[in-house]
Amino acid sequence: MKHATQTPAAPIAGGRPRRPPAPPPRGGRRAAARRRSGQWTAWAFLAPVVVYLLVFYAYPLYRNLDLSLRDYTVRSFVQGGAPFTGFDNYGKIFANPTFGPALWHTVVFTVVSLVFQFTIGLGLAVFFTRHFRLAATLRALFLVPWLLPLIVSSSTWSWMFNSDSGLVNAMLTAFGVSPVNWLTSPDWSLWSVTIANIWIGIPFNLVVLYSGLQAIPAHIHEAAELDGATGWQRFWKVTFPLLRPVSAITLLLGLVYTLKVFDIIWIMTKGGPSDSSTTLATWSYRLGFGNLLPAFGPGAAVGNLLIVMALFFGLLYIYVQRRQAFA
């Protein structure tokens, strides 16, 4: 009878035999395959978003930055080959006499719009938290300015502010007040477009702040009322602090939107008269497309300044939110 010989295990250091590797678990391969399949599925769902960001955000930002760093003409814009000039275009816009007034108009237009949009929107949101008949209908009517195309809203306000046949001057005349050249006077043109922008932006603040108010539990207000807090004390000490995160994102989104407002100003005043309502957004358009000999480089440089301003406030918001989260 032949005896099967068994190969002894190879010794290792220390004299102990080396054990053969343990076989993989029966379901290990299937679990790994499921994990790989899940990863590919996740990437498949993520791919459209990545493509969208690259095509509509990353590439335009790259092109705008490239425009601001080169001396583009109409020919070189079409055929290519524009010489690299570095930061010369930025130096040109900083030295341009239009830069200072345009920056100041942008600050005034943005700050005044945000203050009134937020204040009026918050007041309306608090008002609509009281349940009464026709509350939903009135709230829906307040959304009309937000739903209308901007060209319609801007044209309507342009007609209302018309010096000769506008509705605003007709009302002023009825009350014995002299008519005002709203759109043709350097003293009033910026305020005219600011009023129109405030009216258009109120519904957005109303919707977001009303949603934030609805998320505050009712028992908190009831407890404050039982403690003897007045209506103003309940709002200032309870409601407003709890609404702070929603308020912050509302102001941030409003800031980013207001910085880039172009169509309202362009339709109503085109930045005039005498650049009295010119902002960085309208100036960028006029440099790049509003002249017979467009200055693509300086126009892109002004646009990049707006992007940097919006990015600064966005990063500031993230920093403040993180500090509050870890406080």
Side-chain angles (χ1 to χ4, degrees):
M1 180 183 294
K2 296 181 180 179
H3 298 279
T5 59
Q6 182 178 3
T7 305
I12 60 174
R16 296 180 180 178
R18 180 181 298 169
R19 296 180 179 180
R26 182 173 299 177
R29 294 181 180 178
R30 294 182 180 179
R34 284 196 297 267
R35 285 196 298 270
R36 286 194 299 268
S37 177
Q39 291 175 354
W40 282 111
T41 303
W43 280 109
F45 280 106
L46 191 62
V49 179
V50 174
V51 173
Y52 174 80
L53 292 176
L54 289 175
V55 173
F56 294 101
Y57 284 89
Y59 180 71
L61 286 175
Y62 162 74
R63 286 291 299 157
N64 203 62
L65 181 62
D66 180 71
L67 281 172
S68 67
L69 299 177
R70 296 180 181 273
D71 184 18
Y72 273 94
T73 61
V74 176
R75 174 177 296 180
S76 59
F77 185 81
V78 177
Q79 299 179 354
F84 181 80
T85 58
F87 293 97
D88 289 350
N89 290 322
Y90 293 90
K92 291 178 181 179
I93 64 172
F94 289 142
N96 195 305
T98 307
F99 174 74
L103 179 61
W104 172 247
H105 296 159
T106 303
V107 172
V108 172
F109 178 77
T110 303
V111 172
V112 174
S113 296
L114 287 180
V115 169
F116 280 92
Q117 287 174 354
F118 181 81
T119 304
I120 299 174
L122 179 59
L124 291 173
V126 174
F127 172 75
F128 282 117
T129 55
R130 303 177 179 179
H131 300 286
F132 58 92
R133 186 176 297 179
L134 299 181
T137 304
L138 290 176
R139 194 166 63 247
L141 290 176
F142 272 101
L143 297 179
V144 172
W146 194 27
L147 299 177
L148 287 175
L150 287 177
I151 188 172
V152 175
S153 302
S154 304
S155 301
T156 303
W157 277 100
S158 182
W159 167 77
M160 292 175 61
F161 281 132
N162 188 276
S163 302
D164 299 324
S165 58
L167 179 62
V168 176
N169 277 345
M171 294 177 61
L172 292 178
T173 304
F175 285 98
V177 181
S178 301
V180 178
N181 296 322
W182 295 98
L183 303 178
T184 57
S185 171
D187 298 328
W188 289 100
S189 59
L190 181 62
W191 299 112
S192 301
V193 296
T194 304
I195 293 172
N197 187 64
I198 291 172
W199 180 80
I200 293 173
I202 288 174
F204 171 77
N205 288 260
L206 167 61
V207 170
V208 179
L209 295 173
Y210 179 79
S211 301
L213 290 173
Q214 293 297 308
I216 299 177
H219 65 83
I220 298 179
H221 297 283
E222 295 173 357
E225 187 175 1
L226 291 175
D227 290 338
T230 62
W232 173 252
Q233 289 174 339
R234 291 198 304 270
F235 172 78
W236 189 249
K237 299 293 184 180
V238 179
T239 303
F240 194 71
L242 293 175
L243 199 62
R244 190 172 299 167
V246 180
S247 301
I249 192 63
T250 303
L251 290 173
L252 176 62
L253 294 176
L255 173 70
V256 173
Y257 170 79
T258 309
L259 281 176
K260 66 181 184 63
V261 167
F262 159 77
D263 33 23
I264 299 173
I265 302 175
W266 193 258
I267 292 172
M268 294 182 65
T269 64
K270 289 185 170 56
S274 302
D275 292 335
S276 58
S277 59
T278 295
T279 61
L280 292 178
T282 58
W283 189 35
S284 175
Y285 175 82
R286 193 171 63 193
L287 287 172
F289 304 100
N291 299 317
L292 294 177
L293 295 176
F296 294 115
V302 176
N304 286 333
L305 290 181
L306 288 173
I307 295 174
V308 171
M309 294 170 65
L311 182 62
F312 169 78
F313 287 104
L315 294 177
L316 180 63
Y317 168 78
I318 295 174
Y319 172 75
V320 172
Q321 290 295 105
R322 287 185 175 180
R323 287 200 59 180
Q324 292 179 353
F326 292 104

